[in-house]
Amino acid sequence: HEAVVARLAPTCVLQSGRDPAKAVKVVALKEESSWQRGEYVGKQGWATMPGEKEPDSRVAQACAALLMPTS
């Protein structure tokens, strides 16, 4: 499962880049506590993979970690 998460987290980052409000949302992401960042990313829809209806919490957490140093 770790390999799948590692593979999907960059897709989550790409999906965040398509969000026109990304800059504002990343500022809000930084304000979240570290354990709530994954939930925040999931609520934005960034961790919902194509063909899925719900976000993957582990992908969302990994995605949040990737978004933090690049934002």
Side-chain angles (χ1 to χ4, degrees):
H1 194 235
E2 293 299 318
V4 173
V5 170
R7 200 70 179 151
L8 294 178
T11 300
C12 174
V13 173
L14 288 173
Q15 291 184 154
S16 75
R18 296 183 187 129
D19 188 331
K22 178 187 178 185
V24 173
K25 291 179 179 181
V26 170
V27 169
L29 175 65
K30 288 180 180 181
E31 294 173 358
E32 293 288 334
S33 62
S34 60
W35 65 87
Q36 292 181 332
R37 288 179 180 151
E39 184 177 338
Y40 180 85
V41 167
K43 287 180 180 178
Q44 305 317 307
W46 302 340
T48 303
M49 296 295 109
E52 299 294 325
K53 294 182 181 183
E54 299 290 326
D56 182 295
S57 62
R58 293 179 73 184
V59 171
Q61 191 65 38
C63 181
L66 290 174
L67 287 169
M68 294 309 295
T70 61
S71 57

